[in-house]
Amino acid sequence: MQQPTLVAVAHGSRDPHALRTALALLERVRELRPRLDVRLGHIELNEPLLDDTLRATSGAAVLVPLLLGRGHHVKRDLPGAAARATHLDIRVAAPLGPHPLLVEALYERLVEAGWTAGTAVVLAAAGSRDPDSAADTRGTAALLSRRLGGVPVVPAYASAAAPGAPEAVRTLAARGHHRIAVASYFAAPGRFATQTAAASPALAAAPLGDHPAMARLLLRRYDEALGRPAARPLPELVSA
């Protein structure tokens, strides 16, 4: 029996590196599971758009958001796209975060950038007005703090929520932390990742990108979605 298509759903970005990063990540997914049909769709700004990807897909599909927490896109946009694709049997997977695999990717990106023990961290995320999104980011910050040996990890946001990255850096400095790193809690490069990285007084990690842990996490969310009863997803049923 043919496996449902994995449709990875990226937000989309005007930064050309974002599309290249998403494609590279999906190549890693295909390497891990060669027989799986893996496709990409964007919510906005890039082609292919999600609706176009779904129109070209047949049978069954699992939408796996390349999004790091709950928010409008996960709760509304993805279920809406699933509802419009009436020719498909669709399930919507949970967003990627919080999850230990994300934390492992964040940790390794920080080490790659030169992070050393004792350095405090600002976890820079996109931001959302949805309180569930902020709760998910705080959950990741707590997990990352433990992974880094207990150093402070302060969430910060590029838009729609406070504090911003510069304010978070100042807060840590006021607490006596003289070396502060910015962890880029973004799936791919883009304006927000660049903007928050500029707030770092010492070092800034690269976005999560095509880190191997990300590919493993996409497949885990796909498998988890297939373990639930098939049904049209409702917004209130989408959770981390």
Side-chain angles (χ1 to χ4, degrees):
M1 181 180 297
Q2 183 178 356
Q3 301 176 82
T5 299
L6 188 162
V7 179
V9 185
H11 180 276
S13 171
R14 293 184 176 87
D15 187 326
H17 293 95
L19 177 56
R20 290 197 288 269
T21 300
L23 293 173
L25 174 60
L26 297 195
E27 280 304 307
R28 287 194 182 274
V29 173
R30 293 183 184 103
E31 290 169 2
L32 291 171
R33 202 166 295 183
R35 296 183 180 180
L36 180 62
D37 184 6
V38 178
R39 305 187 185 191
L40 176 64
H42 294 91
I43 295 170
E44 59 182 358
L45 300 176
N46 288 107
E47 294 182 350
L49 292 173
L50 177 57
D51 284 344
D52 294 334
T53 297
L54 294 181
R55 275 193 290 270
T57 302
S58 61
V62 177
L63 307 188
V64 182
L66 298 180
L67 303 168
L68 304 178
R70 294 167 291 174
H72 180 83
H73 295 310
V74 168
K75 293 182 177 181
R76 303 293 174 187
D77 290 340
L78 270 67
R84 290 190 295 273
T86 55
H87 64 293
L88 290 173
D89 174 11
I90 295 187
R91 307 182 192 198
V92 178
L96 298 183
H99 196 277
L101 284 170
L102 277 182
V103 171
E104 196 59 28
L106 285 166
Y107 169 77
E108 292 190 11
R109 291 298 190 218
L110 282 165
V111 171
E112 289 169 0
W115 182 88
T116 55
T119 302
V121 173
V122 171
L123 181 66
S128 169
R129 292 182 179 87
D130 190 316
D132 287 337
S133 177
D136 289 343
T137 303
R138 290 194 300 271
T140 296
L143 291 172
L144 182 59
S145 176
R146 289 198 289 272
R147 180 65 179 88
L148 297 176
V151 301
V153 177
V154 176
Y157 306 96
S159 69
E167 181 183 350
V169 168
R170 289 193 294 271
T171 296
L172 285 169
R175 295 177 186 171
H177 298 281
H178 303 297
R179 185 169 170 81
I180 301 165
V182 171
S184 189
Y185 196 39
F186 299 95
R191 177 170 61 92
F192 284 167
T194 301
Q195 171 186 319
T196 54
S200 172
L203 60 94
L208 296 160
D210 65 338
H211 190 283
M214 290 284 283
R216 291 163 53 204
L217 182 52
L218 255 71
L219 287 170
R220 180 164 299 190
R221 293 304 196 206
Y222 171 86
D223 291 336
E224 288 170 353
L226 290 179
R228 297 197 294 264
R232 285 283 163 196
L234 298 175
E236 63 268 25
L237 297 181
V238 180
S239 61

